[in-house]
Short mmCIF file of all heavy atoms in Angstrom, two decimals:
data_model
loop_
_atom_site.label_atom_id
_atom_site.label_comp_id
_atom_site.label_asym_id
_atom_site.label_seq_id
_atom_site.Cartn_x
_atom_site.Cartn_y
_atom_site.Cartn_z
N PHE A 803 -4.64 39.04 -24.78
CA PHE A 803 -4.77 40.46 -24.68
C PHE A 803 -5.75 40.82 -23.48
O PHE A 803 -6.76 40.16 -23.30
CB PHE A 803 -5.28 41.14 -25.93
CG PHE A 803 -5.57 42.62 -25.80
CD1 PHE A 803 -4.55 43.43 -25.98
CD2 PHE A 803 -6.85 43.10 -25.59
CE1 PHE A 803 -4.60 44.85 -25.89
CE2 PHE A 803 -7.08 44.44 -25.54
CZ PHE A 803 -5.92 45.37 -25.63
N SER A 804 -5.23 41.77 -22.68
CA SER A 804 -6.08 42.34 -21.58
C SER A 804 -6.02 43.87 -21.75
O SER A 804 -4.90 44.39 -21.70
CB SER A 804 -5.52 41.93 -20.18
OG SER A 804 -6.02 42.64 -19.16
N ALA A 805 -7.11 44.49 -21.94
CA ALA A 805 -7.12 45.97 -22.17
C ALA A 805 -6.60 46.56 -20.79
O ALA A 805 -5.76 47.64 -20.86
CB ALA A 805 -8.51 46.40 -22.39
N HIS A 806 -7.00 46.13 -19.69
CA HIS A 806 -6.54 46.62 -18.39
C HIS A 806 -5.04 46.51 -18.21
O HIS A 806 -4.32 47.56 -17.90
CB HIS A 806 -7.33 45.96 -17.24
CG HIS A 806 -6.84 46.43 -15.95
ND1 HIS A 806 -7.06 47.62 -15.42
CD2 HIS A 806 -6.26 45.72 -14.90
CE1 HIS A 806 -6.54 47.75 -14.21
NE2 HIS A 806 -6.00 46.57 -13.87
N ASP A 807 -4.53 45.31 -18.45
CA ASP A 807 -3.03 45.07 -18.32
C ASP A 807 -2.30 45.90 -19.34
O ASP A 807 -1.24 46.46 -18.87
CB ASP A 807 -2.69 43.59 -18.53
CG ASP A 807 -3.32 42.69 -17.30
OD1 ASP A 807 -3.76 43.24 -16.35
OD2 ASP A 807 -3.17 41.50 -17.41
N THR A 808 -2.76 46.10 -20.54
CA THR A 808 -2.06 46.75 -21.55
C THR A 808 -2.01 48.24 -21.23
O THR A 808 -0.96 48.96 -21.37
CB THR A 808 -2.66 46.50 -23.01
OG1 THR A 808 -2.64 45.08 -23.13
CG2 THR A 808 -1.89 47.34 -24.05
N TRP A 809 -3.16 48.77 -20.85
CA TRP A 809 -3.20 50.12 -20.49
C TRP A 809 -2.31 50.50 -19.30
O TRP A 809 -1.64 51.48 -19.30
CB TRP A 809 -4.69 50.61 -20.20
CG TRP A 809 -4.78 51.96 -19.60
CD1 TRP A 809 -5.27 52.29 -18.42
CD2 TRP A 809 -4.46 53.15 -20.29
NE1 TRP A 809 -5.24 53.74 -18.33
CE2 TRP A 809 -4.77 54.22 -19.37
CE3 TRP A 809 -3.87 53.49 -21.57
CZ2 TRP A 809 -4.51 55.64 -19.72
CZ3 TRP A 809 -3.64 54.86 -21.86
CH2 TRP A 809 -4.02 55.81 -20.93
N GLU A 810 -2.29 49.63 -18.31
CA GLU A 810 -1.38 49.91 -17.13
C GLU A 810 0.09 49.96 -17.62
O GLU A 810 0.85 50.82 -17.07
CB GLU A 810 -1.59 48.77 -16.08
CG GLU A 810 -2.71 48.98 -15.13
CD GLU A 810 -2.48 48.21 -13.81
OE1 GLU A 810 -1.66 47.24 -13.85
OE2 GLU A 810 -3.17 48.60 -12.82
N SER A 811 0.46 49.00 -18.42
CA SER A 811 1.83 49.09 -18.91
C SER A 811 2.10 50.36 -19.79
O SER A 811 3.21 51.00 -19.58
CB SER A 811 2.17 47.82 -19.84
OG SER A 811 2.03 46.63 -19.01
N LEU A 812 1.24 50.55 -20.76
CA LEU A 812 1.54 51.68 -21.63
C LEU A 812 1.50 53.07 -20.97
O LEU A 812 2.22 53.97 -21.46
CB LEU A 812 0.56 51.62 -22.80
CG LEU A 812 0.59 50.52 -23.73
CD1 LEU A 812 -0.51 50.56 -24.87
CD2 LEU A 812 1.96 50.38 -24.37
N ARG A 813 0.66 53.20 -19.93
CA ARG A 813 0.69 54.55 -19.32
C ARG A 813 1.81 54.74 -18.27
O ARG A 813 1.89 55.89 -17.69
CB ARG A 813 -0.63 54.76 -18.58
CG ARG A 813 -0.97 53.87 -17.42
CD ARG A 813 -2.45 54.09 -16.84
NE ARG A 813 -2.76 53.33 -15.66
CZ ARG A 813 -2.58 53.73 -14.59
NH1 ARG A 813 -2.21 55.00 -14.26
NH2 ARG A 813 -2.87 53.07 -13.42
N HIS A 814 2.54 53.73 -18.04
CA HIS A 814 3.70 53.85 -17.09
C HIS A 814 4.79 54.58 -17.75
O HIS A 814 5.25 54.16 -18.83
CB HIS A 814 4.12 52.50 -16.68
CG HIS A 814 5.08 52.58 -15.49
ND1 HIS A 814 6.44 52.43 -15.67
CD2 HIS A 814 4.88 52.57 -14.17
CE1 HIS A 814 7.06 52.52 -14.54
NE2 HIS A 814 6.24 52.60 -13.61
N SER A 815 5.22 55.68 -17.17
CA SER A 815 6.22 56.58 -17.79
C SER A 815 7.50 55.86 -17.97
O SER A 815 8.31 56.13 -18.93
CB SER A 815 6.43 57.83 -16.97
OG SER A 815 6.89 57.42 -15.67
N GLY A 816 7.80 54.89 -17.14
CA GLY A 816 9.09 54.18 -17.21
C GLY A 816 9.17 53.27 -18.52
O GLY A 816 10.26 53.11 -19.06
N LEU A 817 8.06 52.74 -18.93
CA LEU A 817 8.14 51.95 -20.22
C LEU A 817 8.48 52.72 -21.32
O LEU A 817 9.21 52.24 -22.17
CB LEU A 817 6.68 51.19 -20.32
CG LEU A 817 6.70 50.31 -21.47
CD1 LEU A 817 7.66 49.13 -21.41
CD2 LEU A 817 5.25 49.80 -21.77
N LEU A 818 7.91 53.98 -21.48
CA LEU A 818 8.25 54.78 -22.57
C LEU A 818 9.75 55.11 -22.56
O LEU A 818 10.39 54.95 -23.64
CB LEU A 818 7.45 56.09 -22.54
CG LEU A 818 7.76 57.06 -23.75
CD1 LEU A 818 7.57 56.40 -25.08
CD2 LEU A 818 6.91 58.27 -23.65
N ARG A 819 10.31 55.38 -21.45
CA ARG A 819 11.77 55.76 -21.32
C ARG A 819 12.63 54.45 -21.66
O ARG A 819 13.64 54.62 -22.33
CB ARG A 819 12.07 56.18 -19.91
CG ARG A 819 11.43 57.61 -19.71
CD ARG A 819 11.85 58.12 -18.29
NE ARG A 819 11.42 59.53 -18.03
CZ ARG A 819 10.29 59.84 -17.47
NH1 ARG A 819 9.57 59.01 -17.00
NH2 ARG A 819 10.07 61.15 -17.33
N LEU A 820 12.20 53.29 -21.23
CA LEU A 820 12.83 52.05 -21.51
C LEU A 820 12.88 51.76 -22.99
O LEU A 820 13.90 51.42 -23.54
CB LEU A 820 12.23 50.94 -20.81
CG LEU A 820 12.91 49.52 -20.96
CD1 LEU A 820 14.18 49.40 -20.42
CD2 LEU A 820 11.98 48.36 -20.45
N ALA A 821 11.65 51.99 -23.59
CA ALA A 821 11.52 51.76 -25.06
C ALA A 821 12.36 52.68 -25.87
O ALA A 821 13.10 52.32 -26.84
CB ALA A 821 10.06 51.78 -25.49
N MET A 822 12.40 54.01 -25.47
CA MET A 822 13.26 54.96 -26.26
C MET A 822 14.75 54.58 -26.11
O MET A 822 15.58 54.76 -27.12
CB MET A 822 13.02 56.36 -25.72
CG MET A 822 11.57 56.81 -26.04
SD MET A 822 11.13 56.85 -27.84
CE MET A 822 12.26 58.05 -28.33
N ARG A 823 15.18 54.09 -24.94
CA ARG A 823 16.56 53.91 -24.69
C ARG A 823 16.98 52.60 -25.44
O ARG A 823 18.20 52.50 -25.79
CB ARG A 823 16.80 53.60 -23.19
CG ARG A 823 18.25 53.71 -22.72
CD ARG A 823 18.19 53.60 -21.24
NE ARG A 823 17.35 54.50 -20.49
CZ ARG A 823 16.65 54.29 -19.35
NH1 ARG A 823 16.69 53.14 -18.72
NH2 ARG A 823 15.98 55.25 -18.87
N HIS A 824 16.09 51.58 -25.65
CA HIS A 824 16.45 50.43 -26.25
C HIS A 824 15.63 50.16 -27.58
O HIS A 824 15.18 49.01 -27.85
CB HIS A 824 16.32 49.22 -25.32
CG HIS A 824 17.12 49.37 -24.10
ND1 HIS A 824 18.46 49.14 -24.03
CD2 HIS A 824 16.70 49.71 -22.84
CE1 HIS A 824 18.92 49.30 -22.75
NE2 HIS A 824 17.85 49.69 -22.08
N MET A 825 15.48 51.30 -28.31
CA MET A 825 14.60 51.15 -29.43
C MET A 825 15.05 50.06 -30.54
O MET A 825 14.19 49.19 -31.00
CB MET A 825 14.41 52.50 -30.15
CG MET A 825 13.57 52.48 -31.34
SD MET A 825 11.82 52.23 -30.99
CE MET A 825 11.44 53.78 -30.16
N ALA A 826 16.29 50.11 -30.82
CA ALA A 826 16.79 49.23 -31.85
C ALA A 826 16.77 47.78 -31.43
O ALA A 826 16.18 46.93 -32.24
CB ALA A 826 18.20 49.57 -32.20
N SER A 827 17.12 47.50 -30.28
CA SER A 827 17.08 46.13 -29.75
C SER A 827 15.69 45.61 -29.57
O SER A 827 15.37 44.41 -29.83
CB SER A 827 17.85 45.89 -28.57
OG SER A 827 17.39 46.80 -27.53
N GLY A 828 14.72 46.52 -29.15
CA GLY A 828 13.34 46.22 -28.94
C GLY A 828 12.71 45.87 -30.37
O GLY A 828 11.96 44.94 -30.31
N LEU A 829 13.00 46.61 -31.23
CA LEU A 829 12.32 46.34 -32.57
C LEU A 829 12.95 44.94 -33.12
O LEU A 829 12.23 44.18 -33.79
CB LEU A 829 12.64 47.50 -33.56
CG LEU A 829 11.90 48.79 -33.30
CD1 LEU A 829 12.53 49.85 -34.26
CD2 LEU A 829 10.50 48.66 -33.50
N GLY A 830 14.20 44.77 -32.90
CA GLY A 830 14.73 43.49 -33.25
C GLY A 830 14.14 42.33 -32.65
O GLY A 830 13.81 41.20 -33.20
N GLU A 831 13.79 42.42 -31.31
CA GLU A 831 13.18 41.40 -30.63
C GLU A 831 11.71 41.07 -31.21
O GLU A 831 11.28 39.89 -31.35
CB GLU A 831 13.00 41.75 -29.07
CG GLU A 831 14.30 41.64 -28.41
CD GLU A 831 14.90 40.20 -28.29
OE1 GLU A 831 14.26 39.34 -27.69
OE2 GLU A 831 15.89 40.01 -28.90
N MET A 832 11.03 42.19 -31.42
CA MET A 832 9.69 42.06 -32.08
C MET A 832 9.75 41.35 -33.42
O MET A 832 8.92 40.49 -33.76
CB MET A 832 9.03 43.45 -32.08
CG MET A 832 8.70 44.02 -30.88
SD MET A 832 8.05 45.80 -30.99
CE MET A 832 6.47 45.42 -31.81
N TYR A 833 10.77 41.67 -34.27
CA TYR A 833 10.91 41.05 -35.53
C TYR A 833 11.18 39.54 -35.37
O TYR A 833 10.56 38.70 -36.02
CB TYR A 833 12.03 41.76 -36.25
CG TYR A 833 12.36 41.08 -37.57
CD1 TYR A 833 11.44 40.95 -38.65
CD2 TYR A 833 13.69 40.55 -37.84
CE1 TYR A 833 11.72 40.33 -39.84
CE2 TYR A 833 13.95 39.96 -38.97
CZ TYR A 833 13.02 39.83 -40.10
OH TYR A 833 13.38 39.23 -41.26
N ARG A 834 12.05 39.20 -34.45
CA ARG A 834 12.47 37.78 -34.26
C ARG A 834 11.31 36.97 -33.62
O ARG A 834 11.28 35.73 -33.85
CB ARG A 834 13.72 37.73 -33.42
CG ARG A 834 15.01 38.06 -34.24
CD ARG A 834 16.23 37.81 -33.31
NE ARG A 834 16.31 38.70 -32.33
CZ ARG A 834 16.99 39.88 -32.40
NH1 ARG A 834 17.49 40.25 -33.67
NH2 ARG A 834 17.00 40.80 -31.35
N ALA A 835 10.34 37.63 -33.00
CA ALA A 835 9.30 36.98 -32.31
C ALA A 835 8.30 36.35 -33.53
O ALA A 835 7.64 35.32 -33.20
CB ALA A 835 8.43 37.96 -31.49
N PHE A 836 8.44 36.99 -34.69
CA PHE A 836 7.49 36.45 -35.85
C PHE A 836 8.38 35.80 -36.95
O PHE A 836 7.76 35.19 -37.75
CB PHE A 836 6.73 37.64 -36.42
CG PHE A 836 5.70 38.16 -35.45
CD1 PHE A 836 6.03 39.31 -34.70
CD2 PHE A 836 4.53 37.55 -35.26
CE1 PHE A 836 5.06 39.76 -33.86
CE2 PHE A 836 3.51 38.01 -34.37
CZ PHE A 836 3.82 39.18 -33.67
N SER A 837 9.72 35.98 -36.88
CA SER A 837 10.54 35.40 -38.00
C SER A 837 11.42 34.25 -37.39
O SER A 837 12.39 34.64 -36.70
CB SER A 837 11.40 36.58 -38.55
OG SER A 837 12.32 35.98 -39.53
N LEU A 838 11.13 33.06 -37.77
CA LEU A 838 11.94 31.95 -37.43
C LEU A 838 13.42 32.11 -38.00
O LEU A 838 14.45 31.91 -37.33
CB LEU A 838 11.42 30.61 -37.90
CG LEU A 838 10.29 29.97 -36.97
CD1 LEU A 838 9.84 28.70 -37.71
CD2 LEU A 838 10.82 29.74 -35.64
N HIS A 839 13.51 32.56 -39.18
CA HIS A 839 14.81 32.77 -39.99
C HIS A 839 15.67 33.66 -39.10
O HIS A 839 16.84 33.43 -39.09
CB HIS A 839 14.51 33.23 -41.37
CG HIS A 839 14.05 32.09 -42.24
ND1 HIS A 839 12.66 31.88 -42.43
CD2 HIS A 839 14.60 31.22 -43.09
CE1 HIS A 839 12.45 30.82 -43.19
NE2 HIS A 839 13.60 30.40 -43.71
N ALA A 840 15.17 34.79 -38.64
CA ALA A 840 15.94 35.76 -37.92
C ALA A 840 16.45 35.14 -36.61
O ALA A 840 17.72 35.40 -36.31
CB ALA A 840 15.12 36.96 -37.72
N THR A 841 15.61 34.41 -35.89
CA THR A 841 16.10 33.81 -34.69
C THR A 841 17.19 32.72 -35.00
O THR A 841 18.19 32.64 -34.30
CB THR A 841 14.90 33.16 -34.00
OG1 THR A 841 13.97 34.16 -33.72
CG2 THR A 841 15.24 32.43 -32.61
N ILE A 842 16.98 31.98 -36.01
CA ILE A 842 17.92 30.91 -36.42
C ILE A 842 19.30 31.58 -36.74
O ILE A 842 20.29 31.05 -36.30
CB ILE A 842 17.45 30.10 -37.54
CG1 ILE A 842 16.17 29.21 -37.04
CG2 ILE A 842 18.52 29.20 -38.05
CD1 ILE A 842 16.54 28.31 -35.90
N ARG A 843 19.33 32.68 -37.44
CA ARG A 843 20.50 33.33 -37.67
C ARG A 843 21.28 33.64 -36.51
O ARG A 843 22.51 33.58 -36.42
CB ARG A 843 20.24 34.62 -38.59
CG ARG A 843 20.03 34.24 -40.11
CD ARG A 843 20.09 35.54 -41.01
NE ARG A 843 19.12 36.50 -40.60
CZ ARG A 843 17.88 36.60 -41.14
NH1 ARG A 843 17.49 35.67 -42.09
NH2 ARG A 843 17.03 37.52 -40.82
N GLN A 844 20.58 34.14 -35.47
CA GLN A 844 21.30 34.43 -34.17
C GLN A 844 21.89 33.16 -33.62
O GLN A 844 23.07 33.08 -33.20
CB GLN A 844 20.33 35.02 -33.16
CG GLN A 844 20.24 36.46 -33.08
CD GLN A 844 19.38 36.97 -31.87
OE1 GLN A 844 18.48 36.28 -31.48
NE2 GLN A 844 19.87 38.04 -31.21
N LEU A 845 21.14 32.09 -33.57
CA LEU A 845 21.53 30.81 -33.06
C LEU A 845 22.69 30.21 -33.82
O LEU A 845 23.54 29.50 -33.18
CB LEU A 845 20.33 29.91 -32.91
CG LEU A 845 19.21 30.16 -32.05
CD1 LEU A 845 18.01 29.32 -32.24
CD2 LEU A 845 19.64 30.20 -30.57
N GLN A 846 22.75 30.41 -35.09
CA GLN A 846 23.83 29.87 -35.98
C GLN A 846 25.20 30.50 -35.56
O GLN A 846 26.24 29.98 -35.91
CB GLN A 846 23.51 30.10 -37.40
CG GLN A 846 22.47 29.14 -37.87
CD GLN A 846 21.97 29.48 -39.36
OE1 GLN A 846 22.17 30.68 -39.81
NE2 GLN A 846 21.41 28.44 -40.00
N SER A 847 25.15 31.67 -34.90
CA SER A 847 26.49 32.23 -34.55
C SER A 847 27.17 31.26 -33.51
O SER A 847 28.38 31.34 -33.46
CB SER A 847 26.20 33.60 -33.73
OG SER A 847 25.56 34.48 -34.65
N PHE A 848 26.41 30.45 -32.80
CA PHE A 848 26.98 29.51 -31.84
C PHE A 848 26.96 28.01 -32.31
O PHE A 848 27.99 27.36 -32.14
CB PHE A 848 26.05 29.63 -30.51
CG PHE A 848 26.00 30.98 -29.94
CD1 PHE A 848 24.95 31.69 -30.31
CD2 PHE A 848 27.01 31.46 -29.16
CE1 PHE A 848 24.85 33.03 -29.83
CE2 PHE A 848 26.91 32.72 -28.58
CZ PHE A 848 25.91 33.51 -29.00
N VAL A 849 25.89 27.65 -33.05
CA VAL A 849 25.78 26.30 -33.49
C VAL A 849 25.50 26.35 -35.09
O VAL A 849 24.27 26.50 -35.43
CB VAL A 849 24.81 25.41 -32.87
CG1 VAL A 849 24.74 24.01 -33.43
CG2 VAL A 849 25.10 25.49 -31.24
N PRO A 850 26.61 26.41 -35.92
CA PRO A 850 26.31 26.75 -37.30
C PRO A 850 25.45 25.71 -38.04
O PRO A 850 24.77 26.07 -39.07
CB PRO A 850 27.78 26.77 -37.99
CG PRO A 850 28.64 27.14 -36.77
CD PRO A 850 28.02 26.41 -35.58
N GLU A 851 25.40 24.48 -37.41
CA GLU A 851 24.61 23.41 -38.26
C GLU A 851 23.16 23.64 -38.11
O GLU A 851 22.36 22.97 -38.92
CB GLU A 851 25.02 22.06 -37.64
CG GLU A 851 26.45 21.71 -37.93
CD GLU A 851 26.81 20.30 -37.21
OE1 GLU A 851 26.09 19.36 -37.49
OE2 GLU A 851 27.80 20.35 -36.45
N ILE A 852 22.66 24.31 -37.13
CA ILE A 852 21.25 24.40 -36.92
C ILE A 852 20.60 25.18 -38.13
O ILE A 852 21.02 26.10 -38.66
CB ILE A 852 20.90 25.18 -35.58
CG1 ILE A 852 19.51 24.94 -35.13
CG2 ILE A 852 21.32 26.63 -35.67
CD1 ILE A 852 19.20 25.43 -33.73
N SER A 853 19.40 24.68 -38.37
CA SER A 853 18.57 25.28 -39.52
C SER A 853 17.11 25.41 -39.12
O SER A 853 16.68 24.78 -38.09
CB SER A 853 18.66 24.44 -40.84
OG SER A 853 18.06 23.10 -40.54
N VAL A 854 16.31 26.07 -39.95
CA VAL A 854 14.92 26.25 -39.58
C VAL A 854 14.15 24.97 -39.59
O VAL A 854 13.34 24.74 -38.76
CB VAL A 854 14.28 27.21 -40.67
CG1 VAL A 854 12.68 27.22 -40.50
CG2 VAL A 854 14.88 28.58 -40.60
N SER A 855 14.60 24.00 -40.39
CA SER A 855 13.93 22.69 -40.36
C SER A 855 14.17 21.88 -39.08
O SER A 855 13.52 20.85 -38.81
CB SER A 855 14.34 21.84 -41.64
OG SER A 855 15.74 21.56 -41.55
N ASP A 856 15.11 22.31 -38.31
CA ASP A 856 15.49 21.54 -37.01
C ASP A 856 14.71 21.99 -35.84
O ASP A 856 14.79 21.36 -34.79
CB ASP A 856 17.02 21.85 -36.60
CG ASP A 856 17.96 21.28 -37.68
OD1 ASP A 856 17.56 20.18 -38.29
OD2 ASP A 856 19.08 21.91 -37.90
N VAL A 857 13.95 23.03 -35.98
CA VAL A 857 13.12 23.61 -34.78
C VAL A 857 11.59 23.61 -35.00
O VAL A 857 11.13 23.60 -36.20
CB VAL A 857 13.56 25.00 -34.54
CG1 VAL A 857 15.11 24.98 -34.23
CG2 VAL A 857 13.23 25.96 -35.60
#
Side-chain angles (χ1 to χ4, degrees):
F803 178 78
S804 162
H806 175 63
D807 292 351
T808 302
W809 172 242
E810 273 203 343
S811 295
L812 295 178
R813 72 186 179 92
H814 189 265
S815 60
L817 180 61
L818 177 60
R819 291 184 172 95
L820 178 71
M822 294 301 293
R823 196 178 303 148
H824 300 285
M825 179 67 72
S827 56
L829 290 173
E831 288 296 296
M832 293 175 65
Y833 174 62
R834 283 186 290 274
F836 294 96
S837 171
L838 277 179
H839 288 84
T841 302
I842 292 300
R843 281 195 295 272
Q844 265 194 324
L845 295 167
Q846 285 173 335
S847 300
F848 304 93
V849 180
E851 293 175 54
I852 195 171
S853 66
V854 171
S855 63
D856 295 330
V857 303

